[in-house]
Amino acid sequence: MNQQIMCTVNSCAYWGQGNICEAPKILVTSDAIGDAYPESMDANEVTQLVQQAGLTPATTCMETCCKTFTRKKQ
Ligand code: SF4
């Protein structure tokens, strides 16, 4: 699948010109998971994450986050 992820979070290390995410893959999950798990838990660990925490249905977009966000070095 050739997918483009548009993003406005320009303080992220993966953010690129044209507001395009340049990460090879990202993990979108619930805010609760984003809070509870360390930075090291990311897209490559999604199977482990689902085994541990289960799936994370949301009701609104405000309940989801990009777990791949990595603060750009200043
Ligand atoms: S990793 Fe997430 S926050 Fe960072 S540019 Fe991509 S979509 Fe945006």
Side-chain angles (χ1 to χ4, degrees), residues 5-27 39 42-44 66-73:
I5 299 166
M6 311 310 294
C7 181
T8 61
V9 186
N10 67 340
S11 57
C12 178
Y14 293 110
W15 182 87
Q17 290 303 315
N19 304 308
I20 294 172
C21 174
E22 295 181 346
K25 58 178 89 167
I26 68 169
L27 173 60
E39 296 274 332
D42 211 314
N44 287 334
C66 175
K67 182 90 176 62
T68 304
F69 169 82
T70 301
R71 180 91 190 231
K72 191 185 294 182
K73 290 196 174 96

Side-chain angles (χ1 to χ4, degrees), residues 1-61:
M1 188 186 324
N2 187 13
Q3 195 171 44
Q4 272 195 341
I5 299 166
M6 311 310 294
C7 181
T8 61
V9 186
N10 67 340
S11 57
C12 178
Y14 293 110
W15 182 87
Q17 290 303 315
N19 304 308
I20 294 172
C21 174
E22 295 181 346
K25 58 178 89 167
I26 68 169
L27 173 60
V28 177
T29 187
S30 67
D31 282 354
I33 294 291
D35 281 345
Y37 282 82
E39 296 274 332
S40 57
M41 182 65 81
D42 211 314
N44 287 334
E45 290 74 37
V46 67
T47 302
Q48 179 190 344
L49 180 63
V50 171
Q51 284 171 350
Q52 287 180 17
L55 294 171
T56 60
T59 306
T60 73
C61 60

